[in-house]
Amino acid sequence: MTPIIWRLLAGRTFAAFATALIPTTLTLALVRTGSAGDLGLVLACELLPMLLLLPVAGVAADRFPARRVVLVADLVRAAAQLATGYVLMAGPADVPRLAVLAAVTGAAVAFGTPSARTLVAAAVPEDGRLRVNTRLGVATGLAQIAAPAAAGVLMLAIGAGWSSLLTGVLFLISALTLGRLPVTPVPRSTPRGSFGAELRGGWAETRRHPWFLANVLAHGAWHLAAGLLLTLGPLIAVESLGGETSWVVIAQVGTVGMLAGVWAAGRLPVRRPLYAVAFGAAVQALPLTAFALRLPLPVTAAAFCCSMFGLGVLSPLWETEMQRRIPLEALGRVGSFDTLISFAARPLGLAAAAPLAAVAGTTAPLLAAAVLTAAANLSVLLLPDVRERPGRESAFALR
């Protein structure tokens, strides 16, 4: 790998690990207040700015050099986390201050996400993007596994404040690594317009790609279903599949499946990437059905593993196909809609799970989510441009 690729992978890995530390640190710090409402308020204050600012962040990703936007976003997140560490170390959790700092963090996440995708496309030639996206997927998956454990150890050993301070330092390292990454400026085919004009232009470019809109809506369906599964699945596992240990087994098997899927994504001889994306999302219906029908633990664990393998395959293929099909000068704006649907749909599923279960039980919502997920994702195969095959120079297989 070239030095640029090494720096890109290192910077994104530091940022992914730091991002994954945040929710566990806040949860462990605020659980001592004895109020679930405090934790919900702080997490909501992080999520809402993220959702509201993503379209704006997409415009920023296309108007300004991606590395500068990533640099500023990482520096803001670093400052917010260092301040959070100070608040946590100063005494009992100050919920209003933590909520404000969470909102600042959420805003920075919104601006950093579209620009990070654009930075990969600008720094990596097309024939190497799948390889890089695959490695980024593995690094992100490992970060999501390791960060909660690391946050717990730091919390027990030296306190939640130190965990937030470490998170801030990791964001500083990411900023220094990515902020000066040498990339070729993105050429523009049209002159830069006003903010409103560029926002409208991003939506117009989004509508120009039916394959993208169909997949984004379908992915929203499986994110919604995932929210239901992550809420109701543990309850069913504890009640019907052998207790808390059964859910731990299922979750760990799923993690192995996801990492295997990400690793395999660049090695499978995929000739129609969006076919693999559609099937990778559709298999989410397997664990939904298994939990709904209270199938035995080995069957349910295997179903969850298959679904996570499919999502692991999906992620790098989807990123690479977006970077290949969408003009680089509009990738930030178009990609922000994908992130917006993903960020919004899963919390909606998490919030809706308990009320639905109270009214209809757990079986009906999970089976309905399984049907919705499979139908929404397999229906995109009916679109002609989904069946497009990359040219030989873009073959989706690592040699």
Side-chain angles (χ1 to χ4, degrees):
M1 290 190 294
T2 66
I4 293 178
I5 302 302
W6 275 114
R7 288 180 60 181
L8 178 64
L9 291 172
R12 291 291 306 279
T13 300
F14 282 121
F17 187 73
T19 301
L21 281 172
I22 295 173
T24 303
T25 299
L26 288 175
T27 299
L28 294 175
L30 290 171
V31 74
R32 294 184 173 182
T33 69
S35 172
D38 290 344
L39 177 60
L41 172 64
V42 172
L43 295 180
C45 285
E46 182 177 355
L47 178 64
L48 288 177
M50 227 186 289
L51 298 178
L52 294 174
L53 292 175
L54 269 169
V56 179
V59 175
D62 292 334
R63 285 177 72 93
F64 306 106
R67 62 182 179 180
R68 293 183 186 175
V69 180
V70 170
L71 171 64
V72 173
D74 279 346
L75 289 176
V76 171
R77 286 195 283 184
Q81 290 306 303
L82 292 173
T84 298
Y86 172 79
V87 171
L88 292 175
M89 295 173 68
D94 188 332
V95 175
R97 290 186 181 180
L98 291 176
V100 171
L101 292 170
V104 173
T105 300
V109 171
F111 277 90
T113 302
S115 294
R117 175 182 283 138
T118 302
L119 184 63
V120 173
V124 182
E126 183 177 331
D127 60 359
R129 288 175 190 163
L130 179 59
R131 181 180 288 105
V132 171
N133 285 324
T134 299
R135 288 168 177 162
L136 286 173
V138 172
T140 301
L142 292 174
Q144 291 172 346
I145 296 168
V153 170
L154 289 169
M155 174 72 179
L156 294 174
I158 52 179
W162 288 100
S163 179
S164 291
L165 292 179
L166 172 62
T167 304
V169 171
L170 291 174
F171 279 127
L172 282 176
I173 296 174
S174 174
L176 295 174
T177 305
L178 298 178
R180 300 181 64 184
L181 196 69
V183 296
T184 304
V186 178
R188 295 181 63 95
S189 60
T190 58
R192 180 182 297 175
S194 65
F195 172 84
E198 297 235 324
L199 187 61
R200 292 190 297 272
W203 177 239
E205 180 66 28
T206 300
R207 290 186 300 164
R208 199 171 68 82
H209 300 282
W211 64 270
F212 176 79
L213 276 175
N215 273 282
V216 165
L217 294 176
H219 295 172
W222 69 253
H223 273 290
L224 180 69
L228 293 174
L229 180 63
L230 291 175
T231 303
L232 301 180
L235 298 177
I236 294 172
V238 171
E239 293 176 358
S240 305
L241 300 179
E244 296 177 357
T245 303
S246 63
W247 175 250
V248 174
V249 170
I250 292 169
Q252 294 303 317
V253 168
T255 299
V256 173
M258 183 195 68
L259 292 175
V262 173
W263 179 85
R267 292 163 173 81
L268 297 173
V270 178
R271 296 304 175 186
R272 289 186 172 88
L274 291 182
Y275 273 45
V277 168
F279 284 107
V283 294
Q284 178 76 20
L286 295 178
L288 290 164
T289 303
F291 275 105
L293 300 179
R294 272 66 170 181
L295 298 181
L297 177 59
V299 177
T300 302
F304 193 66
C305 182
C306 289
S307 73
M308 295 303 289
F309 180 88
L311 296 183
V313 170
L314 176 158
S315 180
L317 290 178
W318 173 246
E319 289 292 324
T320 306
E321 193 71 348
M322 282 181 59
Q323 293 160 353
R324 184 181 74 86
R325 289 179 177 236
I326 296 172
L328 187 53
E329 65 186 74
L331 182 58
R333 286 168 289 173
V334 175
S336 67
F337 291 106
D338 173 46
T339 308
L340 177 62
I341 295 296
S342 299
F343 280 1
R346 184 165 297 199
L348 179 60
L350 292 169
L356 285 174
V359 173
T362 57
T363 299
L366 289 174
L367 287 178
V371 172
L372 174 64
T373 300
N377 284 280
L378 294 179
S379 66
V380 304
L381 300 177
L382 300 175
L383 296 175
D385 51 357
V386 169
R387 296 193 289 271
E388 176 189 334
R389 294 175 59 172
R392 183 178 298 274
E393 70 280 0
S394 304
F396 276 48
L398 297 183
R399 306 303 183 194

